[in-house]
């Protein structure tokens, strides 16, 4: 844009960041193409004159007291309300961009916002990281494969009924109608808006397996669907109703992008369509009807991004200080004579499934008895999560032995830990930390292996407490979107995961579920298999969810790296039998 061709609001939008951004704004404006050099300098002179005039008039009107909102000290106001929507407003005779909510109820001449009084919701750095990690071979959505029994439904359970159920409950889960809007030039993380082009029929699909379909056919079809990435131009979710299963059952595969949910918020998302009985509860929307957002302009998003970035140096200083303090605490703890530190990144041994992925996926499932797992837990004085890790460790050890693979050390698991507080319940997005723990696969005896895993997890949690729940989230806030995403894609294309030791060997996640039966449109939920994403260097994800008296394991792998995922699923049963025998002797 040059001269009069650029709207005045666009040419002068950056006036309010003059005080906040410690760089030459005329250079920035020219760099991003919003103004030439003369326009940029003229814009800044006009802004400074406007602020000077506004300061004088405000002191007169308030008896010498500076009214920051009316004087439009926009850097301070906007930084304090950095997630509030931006709208056009008159700045002492000129047009600038200011925070709609910063005027303490004053109307904004000609102003518009995304929802009246609601903030422009930018993704957190952690949420956005799952977008940046996505490549053509590594879609980063979280899935769930449910098996339903329609015989409990008072009325026929079919696709139309499922669609009607979702239509009535869209308001219960924000991700259903939210889509991404990316910031120009990737200056900052994307934002969520209520999709003005939302179309429910795009998100609910119908498919079938040849009758009578077994779990093998269901998993094969689900693996193909899981391998397909979500469309970022629409809300990041989809559901597939799968007919044709044996015993009259149906399958339901849901996919939601990890940028929108973690395990805990995924459970809350499930509640939106689940009932406690076959009778469908009326959860229709009350109050004000849903209103879509308008798509914010590039100028608004750039201005909002710059205001947020202006705070980066201060946040970085605080984060470095806290991280340094945590590192000193961890070093002191790890130097204790009776402490065995948890594994570090890149300390895991190489295996055949720790390599560059292809776009193919294979799924495996296993259902284990929760009372049996609790019996082992009680007999050996450990926790349920320790037993789950030991089951995975035993199965992986057996699988590698069958292939003649002998890693040069024990396998290392990454275990997500929810740090969601009571105040954050009901909020979407990710509130997780992660811990690295040994799976002690170099230990022959299953009980000794379980005890080693228990001790390792205890130490990992101590270290995680020392690091702090929000350290990871603070650091990823500083990730440059354009650089991060391109780096991940280059890493994938060059197959860098084949050239170094893995960060860790496997992701193992445990999501607690309800101990009572649930229903979808009257159909009873028989089993719920969670499916986590995989990525280059980490070609296996093992996620488990408790439901009633069962533990439902969902295994996701790349078949070109791990050709027999059913062997690992079957190995979970064998590992539990080993531990049950050992617990009976304890």
């Amino acid at each position: 844009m040059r001269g009069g061709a650029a709207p005045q609001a666009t040419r002068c939008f950056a006036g309010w960041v003059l005080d906040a951004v410690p760089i030459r704004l005329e250079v920035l404006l020219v760099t991003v193409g919003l103004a030439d050099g003369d326009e940029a300098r003229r814009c800044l002179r006009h802004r400074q004159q406007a602020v000077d005039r506004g300061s004088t008039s405000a002191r007169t009107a308030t008896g010498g007291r500076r009214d920051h909102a009316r004087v439009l000290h926009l850097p301070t106001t906007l930084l304090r309300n950095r997630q509030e929507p931006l709208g056009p407003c008159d700045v002492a005779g000129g047009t600038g961009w200011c925070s709609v909510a910063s005027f303490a109820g004053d109307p904004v001449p000609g102003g518009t916002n995304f929802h009246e009084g609601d903030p422009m919701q930018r993704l957190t750095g952690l949420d956005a990281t799952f977008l940046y990690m996505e490549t053509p071979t590594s879609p980063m959505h979280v899935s769930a494969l449910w098996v339903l029994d329609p015989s409990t439904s008072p009325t026929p359970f079919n696709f139309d009924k499922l669609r009607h159920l979702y239509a009535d409950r869209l308001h219960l889960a924000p991700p259903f109608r939210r889509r991404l809007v990316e910031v120009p030039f990737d200056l900052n993380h994307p934002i969520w808006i209520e999709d003005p082009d939302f179309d429910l029929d795009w998100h609910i699909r119908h498919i079938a397996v040849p009758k009578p379909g077994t779990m093998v056919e269901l998993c094969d079809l689900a693996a193909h669907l899981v391998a397909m990435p979500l469309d970022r131009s629409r809300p990041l979710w989809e559901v597939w109703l799968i007919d044709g299963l044996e015993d009259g059952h149906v399958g339901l595969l849901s996919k939601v992008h990890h940028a929108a949910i973690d395990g805990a918020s995924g459970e809350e998302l499930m509640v939106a369509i689940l009932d406690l009985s076959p009778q469908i509860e009326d959860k229709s929307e009350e109050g004000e009807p849903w209103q879509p957002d308008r798509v914010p302009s590039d100028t608004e998003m750039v201005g909002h991004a710059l205001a947020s970035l202006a705070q980066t140096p201060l946040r970085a200083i605080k984060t470095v200080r806290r991280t340094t303090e945590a590192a000193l605490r961890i070093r002191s703890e790890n130097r204790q004579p009776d402490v065995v530190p948890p594994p570090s990144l890149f300390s895991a041994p190489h295996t055949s499934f720790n390599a560059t992925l292809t776009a193919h996926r294979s799924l495996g499932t296993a259902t284990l008895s929760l009372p049996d797992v609790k019996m082992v837990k009680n007999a050996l004085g450990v926790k349920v999560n320790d037993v789950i890790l030991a089951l995975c460790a035993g199965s992986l050890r057996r699988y590698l032995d069958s292939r003649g693979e002998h890693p040069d050390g024990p396998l290392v698991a990454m275990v997500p830990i929810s740090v969601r507080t009571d105040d954050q319940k009901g909020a979407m997005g990710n509130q997780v930390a992660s811990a690295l723990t040994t799976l002690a696969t170099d230990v022959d005896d299953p009980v000794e292996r379980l005890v080693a895993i228990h001790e390792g997890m205890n130490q990992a949690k101590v270290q995680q407490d020392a690091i702090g729940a929000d350290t990871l989230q603070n650091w990823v806030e500083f990730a440059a979107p354009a650089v991060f995403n391109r780096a991940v894609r280059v890493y994938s294309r060059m197959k860098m995961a084949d050239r170094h030791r893995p960060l860790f060997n496997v992701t193992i996640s445990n999501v607690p579920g309800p101990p009572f039966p649930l229903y979808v449109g009257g159909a009873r939920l028989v089993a719920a298999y969670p499916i986590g994403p995989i990525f280059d260097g980490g070609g296996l994800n093992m996620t488990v969810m408790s439901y009633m008296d069962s533990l439902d394991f969902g295994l996701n792998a790349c078949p070109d790296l791990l050709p027999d995922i059913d062997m690992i699923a079957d190995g979970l049963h064998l590992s539990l039998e080993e531990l049950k025998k050992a617990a009976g002797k304890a």
Side-chain angles (χ1 to χ4, degrees):
M1 294 179 291
R2 289 290 183 265
Q8 183 182 6
T10 302
R11 293 198 304 270
C12 295
F13 83 97
W16 46 262
V17 278
L18 176 63
D19 297 334
V21 183
I23 62 175
R24 293 286 298 274
L25 253 297
E26 60 267 32
V27 175
L28 175 63
L29 290 171
V30 173
T31 300
V32 300
L34 293 176
D36 60 26
D38 292 337
E39 284 176 329
R41 285 185 286 273
R42 186 164 57 252
C43 176
L44 299 183
R45 284 199 302 272
H46 289 170
R47 188 267 178 192
Q48 188 59 54
Q49 293 168 3
V51 170
D52 291 341
R53 291 196 300 271
S55 299
T56 302
S57 61
R59 283 195 299 270
T60 302
T62 59
R65 175 177 56 85
R66 293 180 64 86
D67 184 335
H68 284 271
R70 295 182 183 277
V71 174
L72 298 179
H73 265 240
L74 298 176
T76 303
T77 304
L78 196 58
L79 293 179
R80 186 174 62 248
N81 301 286
R82 65 186 181 94
Q83 287 192 328
E84 294 171 355
L86 305 176
C89 59
D90 291 333
V91 184
T95 302
W97 289 89
C98 54
S99 170
V100 170
S102 65
F103 286 83
D106 290 352
V108 180
T112 57
N113 59 315
F114 311 111
H115 272 313
E116 192 65 29
D118 284 352
M120 177 193 289
Q121 183 173 349
R122 188 177 308 284
L123 273 71
T124 67
L126 185 56
D127 293 343
T129 295
F130 291 106
L131 292 175
Y132 309 148
M133 288 177 63
E134 197 163 57
T135 71
T137 59
S138 300
M140 296 303 295
H141 46 255
V142 179
S143 305
L145 180 59
W146 294 353
V147 178
L148 306 175
D149 180 5
S151 66
T152 60
S153 178
T155 58
F157 183 88
N158 52 35
F159 179 78
D160 290 337
K161 186 175 185 179
L162 180 68
R163 187 194 180 284
H164 188 267
L165 181 69
Y166 272 90
D168 282 349
R169 300 185 178 186
L170 289 173
H171 62 287
L172 297 178
F176 282 157
R177 291 184 289 207
R178 252 183 217 167
R179 75 168 173 89
L180 292 171
V181 178
E182 295 187 355
V183 178
F185 318 111
D186 286 328
L187 288 175
N188 208 336
H189 307 311
I191 64 171
W192 293 115
I193 66 167
E194 300 291 326
D195 186 10
D197 301 315
F198 177 74
D199 180 2
L200 180 60
D201 291 327
W202 182 269
H203 299 275
I204 302 182
R205 318 284 181 84
H206 195 187
I207 199 169
V209 295
K211 293 183 178 181
T214 65
M215 282 302 297
V216 174
E217 285 82 20
L218 177 61
C219 286
D220 286 345
L221 175 58
H224 174 73
L225 300 177
V226 166
M228 299 164 55
L230 294 167
D231 183 354
R232 290 199 188 183
S233 69
R234 299 177 182 272
L236 295 175
W237 68 279
E238 63 185 32
V239 169
W240 293 81
L241 178 64
I242 304 173
D243 285 332
L245 299 184
E246 59 186 356
D247 300 325
H249 291 172
V250 297
L252 193 67
L253 176 70
S254 63
K255 296 164 54 178
V256 185
H257 204 285
H258 215 323
I261 63 168
D262 58 18
S265 59
E267 280 191 273
E268 295 164 4
L269 196 64
M270 288 171 53
V271 173
I273 64 162
L274 290 167
D275 293 301
L276 299 177
S277 75
Q279 300 300 320
I280 301 177
E281 183 180 350
D282 182 11
K283 297 182 181 180
S284 56
E285 189 170 7
E286 299 178 357
E288 293 294 327
W290 175 78
Q291 293 292 330
D293 290 330
R294 67 172 178 83
V295 180
S297 69
D298 288 353
T299 301
E300 289 174 291
M301 289 189 290
V302 169
H304 195 262
L306 291 176
S308 179
L309 291 173
Q311 302 174 86
T312 298
L314 180 59
R315 292 200 303 264
I317 292 172
K318 293 180 179 178
T319 301
V320 169
R321 175 178 57 80
R322 292 171 182 170
T323 304
T324 302
E325 294 172 350
L328 293 174
R329 290 194 298 270
I330 292 170
R331 186 180 69 171
S332 176
E333 172 69 22
N334 289 345
R335 287 183 172 181
Q336 299 299 317
D338 57 342
V339 170
V340 178
S344 58
L345 293 174
F346 299 105
S347 65
H350 190 272
T351 72
S352 55
F353 50 83
N354 297 123
T356 301
L357 304 182
T358 68
H360 304 131
R361 293 293 180 271
S362 60
L363 300 181
T365 61
T367 297
L368 274 60
S369 167
L370 181 58
D372 285 350
V373 169
K374 289 183 176 180
M375 184 272 290
V376 172
K377 183 243 337 176
N378 294 332
L380 300 178
V382 295
K383 299 179 179 178
V384 167
N385 197 58
D386 300 327
V387 179
I388 289 172
L389 291 171
L391 296 176
C392 295
S395 181
L396 290 172
R397 173 187 164 96
R398 187 175 290 105
Y399 172 79
L400 292 173
D401 282 346
S402 72
R403 291 176 54 88
E405 290 189 50
H406 303 289
D408 58 8
L411 299 187
V412 175
M414 190 278 284
V415 182
I417 300 174
S418 176
V419 294
R420 189 175 296 269
T421 64
D422 291 339
D423 294 338
Q424 293 167 331
K425 288 183 178 178
M428 296 296 107
N430 292 270
Q431 300 291 335
V432 294
S434 59
L436 295 181
T437 185
T438 178
L439 291 181
T441 48
D442 56 340
V443 177
D444 294 333
D445 184 79
V447 174
E448 293 179 7
R449 188 184 311 133
L450 173 57
V451 171
I453 290 172
H454 171 68
E455 293 173 350
M457 271 304 297
N458 285 343
Q459 191 57 38
K461 290 176 181 177
V462 169
Q463 184 159 302
Q464 180 57 45
D465 290 342
I467 294 173
D470 58 353
T471 299
L472 173 62
Q473 299 178 53
N474 289 340
W475 273 113
V476 293
E477 286 295 332
F478 307 129
V483 176
F484 195 162
N485 186 251
R486 287 181 177 86
V488 169
R489 289 176 177 268
V490 169
Y491 179 90
S492 179
R493 284 197 300 268
M494 296 185 66
K495 299 184 177 182
M496 295 297 293
D498 300 338
R499 307 183 187 186
H500 61 76
R501 294 177 75 94
L503 291 168
F504 45 84
N505 297 111
V506 58
T507 300
I508 302 177
S509 183
N510 176 18
V511 181
F516 44 80
L518 297 171
Y519 299 82
V520 178
R524 182 174 62 89
L525 178 63
V526 177
Y529 302 106
I531 304 166
I534 57 178
F535 50 88
D536 285 329
L540 175 62
N541 183 297
M542 307 176 73
T543 302
V544 58
M545 180 175 177
S546 59
Y547 173 56
M548 298 184 64
D549 286 333
S550 298
L551 285 176
D552 293 331
F553 284 80
L555 279 58
N556 185 17
C558 174
D560 297 300
L561 304 181
L562 200 156
D564 193 358
I565 196 169
D566 289 332
M567 183 175 180
I568 295 181
D570 294 339
L572 293 170
H573 294 277
L574 298 176
S575 295
L576 180 56
E577 290 302 317
E578 282 183 342
L579 288 173
K580 284 170 59 179
K581 291 179 181 179
K585 298 176 182 178

